[in-house]
Amino acid sequence: MTKQKWERAIELTIIGVVIFVGLVSVLYSWIDSAFGGNVNVYVLTAVAAVLTFFIVYAIKIFDKG
């Protein structure tokens, strides 16, 4: 059974949101423990957004379904 384009878009969006939240959490924890200082929220958000984009893009490219 093939998926509609909107179903695939919603699926990738949900995956992206989950990965983004997870990356923000992991990156904040890692940076805080490694450097022991305040983390710039804007830089953290930008890094997590870029990483999330590349991960979701890779899923989209390599998924045959």
Side-chain angles (χ1 to χ4, degrees):
M1 184 172 171
T2 60
K3 292 182 184 176
Q4 299 289 327
K5 288 188 180 214
W6 62 270
E7 290 175 318
R8 185 69 179 143
I10 291 173
E11 183 179 274
L12 288 174
T13 301
I14 292 171
I15 291 170
V17 168
V18 170
I19 291 174
F20 177 77
V21 169
L23 280 175
V24 168
S25 174
V26 167
L27 288 173
Y28 180 81
S29 175
W30 179 76
I31 291 171
D32 188 42
S33 66
F35 300 112
N38 291 338
V39 179
N40 188 342
V41 176
Y42 300 113
V43 172
L44 178 66
T45 303
V47 169
V50 169
L51 289 174
T52 301
F53 172 78
F54 284 122
I55 292 169
V56 172
Y57 184 72
I59 290 170
K60 182 178 186 250
I61 295 296
F62 292 114
D63 187 25
K64 301 293 182 192

Coordinates of all heavy atoms in Angstrom, one line a residue:
M1 N 0.8 -1.2 0.0 CA 0.0 0.0 0.0 C 0.9 1.2 0.0 O 1.7 1.4 0.9 CB -0.9 0.0 1.2 CG -1.9 1.1 1.3 SD -3.0 0.8 2.7 CE -3.8 2.3 2.7
T2 N 0.7 2.1 -1.0 CA 1.5 3.3 -1.1 C 0.9 4.4 -0.2 O -0.3 4.5 0.0 CB 1.6 3.8 -2.5 OG1 0.3 4.0 -3.0 CG2 2.2 2.7 -3.4
K3 N 1.7 5.3 0.2 CA 1.3 6.4 1.1 C 1.1 7.6 0.2 O 1.7 7.8 -0.8 CB 2.4 6.7 2.1 CG 2.6 5.7 3.2 CD 3.6 6.1 4.2 CE 3.9 5.0 5.2 NZ 5.0 5.4 6.1
Q4 N 0.2 8.4 0.7 CA -0.1 9.7 0.0 C 1.1 10.6 0.4 O 1.8 10.4 1.4 CB -1.4 10.3 0.5 CG -2.6 9.5 0.2 CD -2.9 9.5 -1.3 OE1 -2.7 10.5 -2.0 NE2 -3.4 8.4 -1.8
K5 N 1.3 11.7 -0.4 CA 2.4 12.6 -0.2 C 2.2 13.3 1.2 O 3.2 13.6 1.9 CB 2.5 13.6 -1.3 CG 3.1 13.0 -2.5 CD 3.4 14.1 -3.6 CE 3.9 13.4 -4.8 NZ 4.9 14.2 -5.5
W6 N 1.0 13.7 1.5 CA 0.7 14.4 2.8 C 1.0 13.5 4.0 O 1.4 13.9 5.0 CB -0.7 15.0 2.8 CG -1.8 14.0 2.7 CD1 -2.4 13.5 1.6 CD2 -2.4 13.3 3.8 NE1 -3.4 12.6 1.9 CE2 -3.4 12.5 3.3 CE3 -2.3 13.4 5.2 CZ2 -4.2 11.7 4.1 CZ3 -3.1 12.6 6.0 CH2 -4.1 11.8 5.4
E7 N 0.7 12.2 3.8 CA 1.0 11.2 4.9 C 2.5 11.1 5.1 O 2.9 11.1 6.3 CB 0.4 9.8 4.6 CG -1.1 9.7 4.6 CD -1.6 8.4 4.1 OE1 -1.0 7.8 3.2 OE2 -2.5 7.9 4.8
R8 N 3.2 11.1 4.1 CA 4.7 11.0 4.2 C 5.2 12.3 4.8 O 6.2 12.3 5.6 CB 5.3 10.8 2.8 CG 6.8 10.6 2.8 CD 7.1 9.2 3.5 NE 8.6 9.1 3.5 CZ 9.3 8.6 4.4 NH1 8.7 8.1 5.5 NH2 10.6 8.5 4.3
A9 N 4.7 13.4 4.4 CA 5.1 14.7 5.0 C 4.9 14.8 6.5 O 5.7 15.3 7.2 CB 4.4 15.9 4.3
I10 N 3.7 14.3 6.9 CA 3.3 14.3 8.3 C 4.3 13.4 9.1 O 4.8 13.7 10.2 CB 1.9 14.0 8.5 CG1 1.0 15.1 8.0 CG2 1.6 13.7 10.0 CD1 -0.5 14.8 8.0
E11 N 4.5 12.2 8.5 CA 5.4 11.3 9.1 C 6.8 11.8 9.3 O 7.4 11.7 10.4 CB 5.5 10.0 8.3 CG 6.3 8.9 8.8 CD 6.3 7.7 7.9 OE1 5.3 6.9 8.0 OE2 7.2 7.6 7.1
L12 N 7.4 12.5 8.3 CA 8.7 13.1 8.4 C 8.7 14.2 9.4 O 9.7 14.5 10.1 CB 9.2 13.5 7.0 CG 9.6 12.3 6.1 CD1 9.9 12.9 4.7 CD2 10.7 11.5 6.6
T13 N 7.6 15.0 9.4 CA 7.6 16.1 10.4 C 7.6 15.6 11.8 O 8.3 16.2 12.7 CB 6.3 16.9 10.1 OG1 6.3 17.4 8.8 CG2 6.2 18.1 11.1
I14 N 6.8 14.6 12.1 CA 6.8 14.0 13.4 C 8.2 13.5 13.8 O 8.7 13.7 14.9 CB 5.7 12.9 13.6 CG1 4.3 13.6 13.5 CG2 5.9 12.1 14.9 CD1 3.2 12.6 13.4
I15 N 8.8 12.8 12.9 CA 10.2 12.2 13.1 C 11.1 13.4 13.4 O 11.9 13.4 14.3 CB 10.6 11.4 11.9 CG1 9.9 10.1 11.9 CG2 12.1 11.1 12.0 CD1 10.1 9.3 10.6
G16 N 11.0 14.5 12.6 CA 11.9 15.6 12.8 C 11.7 16.3 14.1 O 12.7 16.7 14.8
V17 N 10.5 16.4 14.6 CA 10.2 17.1 15.9 C 10.8 16.2 17.0 O 11.4 16.8 17.9 CB 8.7 17.3 16.1 CG1 8.4 17.7 17.5 CG2 8.2 18.4 15.1
V18 N 10.6 14.9 16.9 CA 11.1 14.1 18.0 C 12.7 14.1 18.0 O 13.3 14.2 19.1 CB 10.6 12.6 17.8 CG1 11.4 11.6 18.7 CG2 9.1 12.5 18.0
I19 N 13.3 14.1 16.8 CA 14.7 14.1 16.7 C 15.2 15.5 17.2 O 16.2 15.6 17.9 CB 15.2 13.8 15.3 CG1 15.0 12.4 15.0 CG2 16.7 14.2 15.1 CD1 15.3 12.0 13.5
F20 N 14.6 16.6 16.9 CA 15.0 17.9 17.3 C 14.9 18.0 18.8 O 15.9 18.5 19.4 CB 14.1 19.0 16.6 CG 14.4 20.4 17.1 CD1 15.4 21.0 16.6 CD2 13.6 21.0 18.0 CE1 15.7 22.3 17.0 CE2 13.8 22.3 18.4 CZ 14.9 23.0 17.9
V21 N 13.9 17.6 19.4 CA 13.8 17.7 20.9 C 14.9 16.9 21.5 O 15.5 17.3 22.5 CB 12.4 17.3 21.4 CG1 12.3 17.1 22.9 CG2 11.3 18.3 20.9
G22 N 15.1 15.7 21.0 CA 16.1 14.8 21.6 C 17.5 15.4 21.4 O 18.3 15.3 22.3
L23 N 17.8 16.0 20.2 CA 19.1 16.6 20.0 C 19.3 17.8 20.9 O 20.4 18.0 21.4 CB 19.2 17.0 18.5 CG 19.6 15.9 17.6 CD1 19.6 16.4 16.1 CD2 21.0 15.3 17.9
V24 N 18.3 18.6 21.1 CA 18.5 19.8 22.0 C 18.8 19.3 23.4 O 19.7 19.8 24.0 CB 17.2 20.7 22.0 CG1 17.2 21.7 23.1 CG2 17.1 21.4 20.6
S25 N 18.1 18.3 23.8 CA 18.3 17.7 25.2 C 19.7 17.2 25.3 O 20.5 17.5 26.3 CB 17.3 16.7 25.5 OG 17.6 16.0 26.7
V26 N 20.1 16.3 24.3 CA 21.5 15.7 24.4 C 22.6 16.7 24.2 O 23.6 16.7 25.0 CB 21.6 14.6 23.3 CG1 23.0 14.1 23.1 CG2 20.7 13.4 23.6
L27 N 22.4 17.7 23.3 CA 23.5 18.7 23.1 C 23.6 19.6 24.3 O 24.7 19.9 24.7 CB 23.2 19.5 21.8 CG 23.4 18.8 20.5 CD1 22.9 19.7 19.4 CD2 24.8 18.4 20.3
Y28 N 22.5 20.0 24.9 CA 22.5 20.8 26.1 C 23.3 20.1 27.2 O 24.1 20.6 27.9 CB 21.1 21.2 26.6 CG 21.2 22.1 27.8 CD1 21.4 23.4 27.7 CD2 21.0 21.5 29.1 CE1 21.5 24.2 28.8 CE2 21.0 22.3 30.2 CZ 21.3 23.7 30.1 OH 21.3 24.4 31.2
S29 N 22.9 18.8 27.4 CA 23.5 18.1 28.5 C 25.0 17.9 28.2 O 25.9 18.0 29.1 CB 22.9 16.7 28.6 OG 23.5 15.9 29.5
W30 N 25.4 17.6 27.0 CA 26.8 17.4 26.6 C 27.6 18.6 26.8 O 28.7 18.6 27.3 CB 26.9 16.8 25.2 CG 28.3 16.6 24.8 CD1 29.1 15.6 25.2 CD2 29.1 17.5 24.0 NE1 30.4 15.7 24.6 CE2 30.4 16.9 23.8 CE3 28.8 18.6 23.3 CZ2 31.4 17.5 23.1 CZ3 29.8 19.2 22.5 CH2 31.1 18.6 22.4
I31 N 27.1 19.7 26.2 CA 27.8 21.0 26.3 C 28.0 21.5 27.8 O 29.0 22.0 28.2 CB 27.2 22.1 25.4 CG1 27.3 21.7 24.0 CG2 27.7 23.4 25.7 CD1 26.5 22.6 23.0
D32 N 26.9 21.3 28.5 CA 26.9 21.7 29.9 C 27.9 20.9 30.7 O 28.7 21.5 31.5 CB 25.5 21.6 30.5 CG 25.4 22.2 31.9 OD1 26.0 23.3 32.1 OD2 24.8 21.6 32.8
S33 N 28.0 19.6 30.5 CA 28.9 18.8 31.2 C 30.4 19.0 30.7 O 31.3 18.9 31.5 CB 28.5 17.3 31.2 OG 28.7 16.8 29.9
A34 N 30.5 19.2 29.4 CA 31.9 19.3 28.9 C 32.5 20.7 29.2 O 33.7 20.7 29.5 CB 31.8 19.1 27.4
F35 N 31.8 21.7 29.1 CA 32.3 23.1 29.3 C 31.9 23.7 30.6 O 32.5 24.7 31.0 CB 31.9 24.0 28.1 CG 32.4 23.5 26.8 CD1 31.5 23.0 25.9 CD2 33.8 23.4 26.5 CE1 32.0 22.5 24.6 CE2 34.2 22.9 25.3 CZ 33.3 22.5 24.4
G36 N 30.9 23.2 31.2 CA 30.5 23.7 32.6 C 30.0 25.1 32.6 O 30.1 25.8 33.6
G37 N 29.5 25.6 31.5 CA 29.0 27.0 31.5 C 27.7 27.1 30.9 O 27.0 26.1 30.6
N38 N 27.3 28.3 30.7 CA 26.0 28.6 30.1 C 26.0 28.3 28.6 O 27.0 28.6 27.9 CB 25.6 30.1 30.3 CG 25.3 30.4 31.7 OD1 24.9 29.5 32.5 ND2 25.3 31.6 32.1
V39 N 24.9 27.8 28.1 CA 24.8 27.4 26.7 C 24.0 28.5 26.0 O 22.9 28.8 26.5 CB 24.2 26.0 26.5 CG1 24.0 25.6 25.1 CG2 25.0 25.0 27.3
N40 N 24.5 29.0 24.9 CA 23.7 30.0 24.1 C 22.6 29.2 23.4 O 22.7 28.3 22.6 CB 24.6 30.6 23.1 CG 24.0 31.7 22.4 OD1 22.8 31.9 22.4 ND2 24.8 32.6 21.7
V41 N 21.4 29.7 23.8 CA 20.1 29.0 23.3 C 20.0 29.1 21.8 O 19.6 28.1 21.2 CB 18.9 29.6 24.0 CG1 17.6 29.0 23.5 CG2 19.0 29.4 25.5
Y42 N 20.4 30.2 21.2 CA 20.2 30.4 19.8 C 21.2 29.5 19.0 O 20.8 28.9 18.0 CB 20.4 31.8 19.4 CG 19.4 32.7 20.1 CD1 19.8 33.6 21.1 CD2 18.1 32.6 19.8 CE1 18.9 34.5 21.7 CE2 17.2 33.5 20.4 CZ 17.6 34.4 21.4 OH 16.7 35.2 22.0
V43 N 22.4 29.3 19.5 CA 23.4 28.5 18.8 C 22.9 27.0 19.0 O 23.0 26.2 18.0 CB 24.8 28.7 19.4 CG1 25.8 27.7 18.8 CG2 25.2 30.1 19.1
L44 N 22.5 26.6 20.2 CA 22.1 25.3 20.4 C 20.9 24.9 19.5 O 20.9 23.8 18.9 CB 21.7 25.1 21.9 CG 21.1 23.8 22.3 CD1 22.2 22.7 22.2 CD2 20.6 23.9 23.7
T45 N 19.9 25.8 19.4 CA 18.8 25.6 18.6 C 19.2 25.5 17.1 O 18.7 24.6 16.4 CB 17.7 26.7 18.7 OG1 17.4 26.8 20.1 CG2 16.5 26.5 17.9
A46 N 20.1 26.3 16.6 CA 20.5 26.3 15.3 C 21.3 25.0 14.9 O 21.0 24.4 13.9 CB 21.4 27.5 15.0
V47 N 22.1 24.6 15.8 CA 22.9 23.3 15.6 C 21.9 22.1 15.6 O 22.0 21.3 14.7 CB 24.0 23.1 16.7 CG1 24.5 21.8 16.6 CG2 25.0 24.2 16.5
A48 N 21.0 22.1 16.5 CA 20.0 21.0 16.5 C 19.1 21.0 15.3 O 18.8 20.0 14.7 CB 19.2 21.1 17.8
A49 N 18.7 22.2 14.8 CA 17.9 22.3 13.6 C 18.6 21.8 12.4 O 18.1 21.1 11.5 CB 17.4 23.7 13.4
V50 N 19.9 22.2 12.2 CA 20.7 21.7 11.1 C 20.9 20.2 11.1 O 20.7 19.5 10.1 CB 22.0 22.5 11.0 CG1 23.0 21.9 10.0 CG2 21.8 23.9 10.7
L51 N 21.3 19.7 12.3 CA 21.4 18.2 12.4 C 20.1 17.5 12.1 O 20.1 16.5 11.4 CB 22.0 17.9 13.8 CG 23.4 18.3 14.1 CD1 23.8 18.0 15.5 CD2 24.3 17.5 13.1
T52 N 19.0 18.0 12.6 CA 17.7 17.4 12.4 C 17.4 17.4 10.9 O 16.9 16.4 10.4 CB 16.6 18.1 13.2 OG1 16.9 18.1 14.6 CG2 15.3 17.5 12.9
F53 N 17.6 18.5 10.2 CA 17.4 18.6 8.8 C 18.1 17.5 8.0 O 17.6 16.8 7.2 CB 17.7 20.0 8.2 CG 17.7 20.1 6.8 CD1 16.5 20.2 6.1 CD2 18.8 20.0 6.0 CE1 16.4 20.2 4.7 CE2 18.8 20.1 4.6 CZ 17.6 20.2 4.0
F54 N 19.4 17.4 8.3 CA 20.2 16.4 7.6 C 19.8 15.0 7.9 O 19.8 14.1 7.0 CB 21.7 16.6 7.9 CG 22.3 17.8 7.2 CD1 22.9 18.8 7.9 CD2 22.3 17.9 5.8 CE1 23.5 19.9 7.2 CE2 22.8 18.9 5.1 CZ 23.4 20.0 5.9
I55 N 19.4 14.7 9.1 CA 19.0 13.4 9.5 C 17.6 13.0 8.8 O 17.5 12.0 8.2 CB 18.8 13.2 11.0 CG1 20.2 13.3 11.7 CG2 18.1 11.9 11.4 CD1 20.1 13.4 13.2
V56 N 16.7 14.0 8.8 CA 15.4 13.7 8.2 C 15.6 13.7 6.6 O 14.9 12.9 6.0 CB 14.4 14.8 8.6 CG1 13.1 14.7 7.7 CG2 14.0 14.7 10.0
Y57 N 16.5 14.5 6.1 CA 16.7 14.4 4.7 C 17.3 13.1 4.3 O 17.0 12.5 3.2 CB 17.7 15.6 4.3 CG 17.9 15.7 2.8 CD1 16.9 16.1 1.9 CD2 19.2 15.3 2.3 CE1 17.2 16.2 0.6 CE2 19.4 15.4 0.9 CZ 18.4 15.9 0.1 OH 18.6 16.0 -1.3
A58 N 18.2 12.6 5.1 CA 18.8 11.3 4.8 C 17.8 10.2 4.9 O 17.8 9.2 4.1 CB 20.0 11.0 5.8
I59 N 16.9 10.3 5.8 CA 15.8 9.3 5.9 C 14.9 9.4 4.7 O 14.6 8.3 4.1 CB 14.9 9.6 7.2 CG1 15.7 9.2 8.4 CG2 13.6 8.7 7.1 CD1 15.0 9.6 9.7
K60 N 14.6 10.6 4.2 CA 13.8 10.7 3.0 C 14.5 10.2 1.8 O 13.8 9.5 1.0 CB 13.5 12.2 2.8 CG 12.6 12.5 1.6 CD 12.3 14.0 1.5 CE 11.3 14.2 0.4 NZ 11.8 14.8 -0.7
I61 N 15.8 10.4 1.7 CA 16.5 9.9 0.5 C 16.7 8.4 0.5 O 16.4 7.8 -0.6 CB 17.9 10.6 0.4 CG1 17.8 12.1 0.2 CG2 18.8 10.0 -0.6 CD1 17.2 12.5 -1.1
F62 N 17.0 7.8 1.6 CA 17.3 6.4 1.6 C 16.1 5.5 1.9 O 16.3 4.3 1.7 CB 18.4 6.1 2.7 CG 19.7 6.7 2.3 CD1 20.3 7.7 3.1 CD2 20.4 6.3 1.2 CE1 21.5 8.3 2.7 CE2 21.6 6.8 0.8 CZ 22.2 7.8 1.6
D63 N 15.0 6.1 2.2 CA 13.8 5.3 2.5 C 13.1 4.9 1.1 O 12.8 5.8 0.3 CB 12.8 6.0 3.4 CG 11.6 5.1 3.8 OD1 11.8 3.9 3.8 OD2 10.6 5.7 4.1
K64 N 13.0 3.7 0.9 CA 12.4 3.3 -0.4 C 10.8 3.1 -0.3 O 10.2 2.9 -1.3 CB 12.9 1.9 -0.8 CG 14.4 1.9 -1.0 CD 14.8 2.8 -2.2 CE 16.3 2.7 -2.4 NZ 16.8 3.6 -3.3
G65 N 10.3 3.3 0.9 CA 8.8 3.1 1.0 C 8.1 4.3 0.9 O 7.6 5.2 0.7

